């Protein structure tokens, strides 16, 4: 079984739900407390053994490429000022030379199309897809948990999490055939089902380990829901040929793709900060007290 070495991070979306912030700044670069959202996602993948990152970018996304590059002037200034701790922190977050590729999705035709744009860089091997507007707090990381399932089961693996039954209509949910602890063999996926028709309340989190044959399906795939080329449709087609397992991972996700979700992610990471968490909690309590008058 080939190991999963490469991760595709689609970052070419327009981020319309977070406008106007995303007019000039990529959504993935918005800070979640003290670092951009994308940093959390890259860290999650690195600890899962990913050694090459394929960013699918679009117009106005050059800040992402710059962020993972060296910043010589900044580093020199920090060195001159003796700020070695900050320098070391920056160093730790750099990607090694040659460990990243940037491919361009010229028009935001959908997540499936964005993943397909990475096909030449990924080649003929299994790969991970991580949606960078979803941050997952988990130990071991969500992708690391999935990699363990992949090592046992092979095929394709996706992460899922339970959502309230009243909210299943907002998500893609899975139809599990059999269950062994947290791992399920999947029968199907359903996009935004009605509550009474939902096969489960397990929603797809935005983390996938996929076989390269997904690219053949994406190449043939027409536009689906919302006029976009959907990854879910290609996965449903691949499911007719290969096994798909779902992992109900141990952890918690934060969807930063809309304003309320972004606030929740920011506040949760502020509260969890070792140095400043207690002060952040005080600030939030003060703000709520003021709000209540
Ligand atoms: P989303 O639908 O959450 O992102 O796609 P979006 O399109 O940027 O958001 P809104 O709806 O306009 O607010 C999930 C991920 O897929 C990427 C996005 O960048 C995001 O990380 N994506 C989506 C692409 O790279 N290309 C696309 O054509 C669509």
């Amino acid at each position: 079984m080939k190991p999963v070495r490469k991760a595709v991070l689609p970052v070419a979306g327009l981020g319309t739900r977070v406008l106007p912030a995303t007019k000039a700044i990529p959504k993935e670069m918005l800070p979640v407390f003290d670092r951009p959202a994308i940093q959390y996602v890259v860290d999650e993948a690195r600890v899962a053994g990913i050694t090459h990152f394929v960013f699918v970018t679009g117009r106005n996304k050059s800040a992402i490429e710059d962020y993972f590059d060296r910043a010589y002037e900044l580093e020199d200034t920090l060195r001159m000022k003796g700020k070695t701790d900050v320098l070391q922190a920056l160093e730790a977050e750099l990607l090694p030379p040659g460990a990243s590729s940037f491919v361009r999705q010229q028009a935001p035709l959908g997540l499936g199309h964005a993943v397909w744009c990475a096909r030449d860089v990924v080649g003929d091997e299994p790969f991970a897809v991580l949606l960078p507007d979803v941050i997952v707090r988990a130990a071991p990381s969500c992708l690391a948990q999935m990699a363990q399932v992949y090592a046992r089961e092979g095929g394709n693996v996706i992460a899922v999490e339970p959502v309230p039954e009243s909210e299943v209509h907002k998500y893609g949910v899975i139809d599990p055939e059999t269950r062994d602890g947290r791992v399920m063999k999947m029968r199907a996926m359903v996009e935004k089902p009605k509550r009474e028709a939902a096969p489960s309340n397990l929603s797809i989190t935005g983390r996938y380990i996929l076989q390269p044959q997904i690219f053949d399906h994406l190449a043939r795939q027409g536009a689906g829901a919302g006029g976009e080329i959907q990854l879910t449709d290609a996965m449903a087609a691949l499911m007719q040929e290969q096994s798909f397992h779902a992992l109900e991972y141990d952890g918690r996700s934060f969807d930063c793709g809309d304003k309320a979700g972004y606030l929740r992610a920011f506040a949760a990471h502020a509260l969890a900060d070792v140095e400043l968490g207690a002060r952040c909690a005080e600030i939030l309590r003060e703000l709520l007290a003021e709000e209540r008058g």
Side-chain angles (χ1 to χ4, degrees):
M1 194 193 298
K2 288 185 183 170
V4 182
R5 301 181 305 128
K6 295 178 183 169
V8 174
L9 286 84
V11 290
L14 297 178
T16 52
R17 286 167 295 158
V18 218
L19 278 169
T22 45
K23 190 175 167 196
I25 302 170
K27 172 169 70 173
E28 301 77 14
M29 287 303 294
L30 293 177
V32 175
F33 192 49
D34 62 351
R35 63 200 62 197
I38 195 140
Q39 179 76 61
Y40 293 93
V41 181
V42 165
D43 290 347
E44 173 190 338
R46 283 178 95 168
V47 298
I50 296 297
T51 51
H52 194 97
F53 292 82
V54 189
F55 296 89
V56 182
T57 69
R59 286 160 51 77
N60 295 330
K61 298 283 181 165
S62 52
I64 297 174
E65 204 160 342
D66 292 340
Y67 178 78
F68 287 107
D69 199 358
R70 282 201 175 277
Y72 284 108
E73 287 172 12
L74 174 65
E75 288 171 22
D76 274 355
T77 310
L78 291 171
R79 209 167 286 118
M80 264 163 16
K81 293 190 170 177
K83 302 209 169 189
T84 39
D85 50 338
V86 188
L87 257 175
Q88 275 166 4
L90 287 183
E91 187 71 32
E93 297 195 335
L94 271 181
L95 289 175
S100 55
S101 302
F102 293 80
V103 298
R104 195 83 169 218
Q105 186 191 26
Q106 287 129 331
L109 300 180
L111 174 61
H113 183 260
V115 171
W116 180 73
C117 288
R119 66 197 179 283
D120 284 350
V121 185
V122 170
D124 188 24
E125 55 180 278
F127 63 103
V129 176
L130 298 99
L131 302 195
D133 52 357
V134 178
I135 296 176
V136 183
R137 287 238 308 264
S141 88
C142 180
L143 190 63
Q145 294 179 38
M146 293 167 68
Q148 285 172 11
V149 177
Y150 175 74
R152 206 172 63 219
E153 307 287 353
N156 303 267
V157 180
I158 67 172
V160 297
E161 62 193 70
V163 293
E165 268 158 33
S166 57
E167 291 188 13
V168 284
H169 64 279
K170 296 184 194 165
Y171 301 96
V173 298
I174 63 153
D175 184 358
E177 191 178 320
T178 53
R179 182 164 186 143
D180 178 7
R182 288 180 167 271
V183 180
M184 287 151 277
K185 187 160 172 24
M186 283 169 61
R187 193 176 4 233
M189 280 171 292
V190 191
E191 207 40 69
K192 301 188 173 63
K194 290 205 172 92
R195 184 180 179 163
E196 38 311 335
S200 75
N201 69 333
L202 294 166
S203 84
I204 299 170
T205 301
R207 301 290 185 265
Y208 314 82
I209 291 175
L210 298 170
Q211 295 297 322
Q213 289 73 25
I214 194 79
F215 293 124
D216 302 333
H217 291 284
L218 286 169
R220 289 196 289 270
Q221 192 84 42
E228 297 195 336
I229 297 174
Q230 299 285 354
L231 181 60
T232 323
D233 294 341
M235 288 196 299
L238 186 59
M239 210 179 286
Q240 306 306 312
E241 300 159 10
Q242 295 182 0
S243 76
F244 269 73
H245 285 85
L247 168 69
E248 188 181 338
Y249 70 93
D250 185 14
R252 178 162 183 211
S253 74
F254 297 91
D255 183 353
C256 309
D258 63 36
K259 290 176 188 175
Y262 175 63
L263 171 66
R264 185 187 290 274
F266 197 112
H269 286 84
L271 291 171
D273 188 76
V274 178
E275 272 177 41
L276 291 170
R279 177 69 192 121
C280 292
E282 258 171 46
I283 292 172
L284 291 176
R285 272 194 293 270
E286 282 162 21
L287 284 171
L288 285 172
E290 280 170 30
E291 182 68 20
R292 289 189 195 113

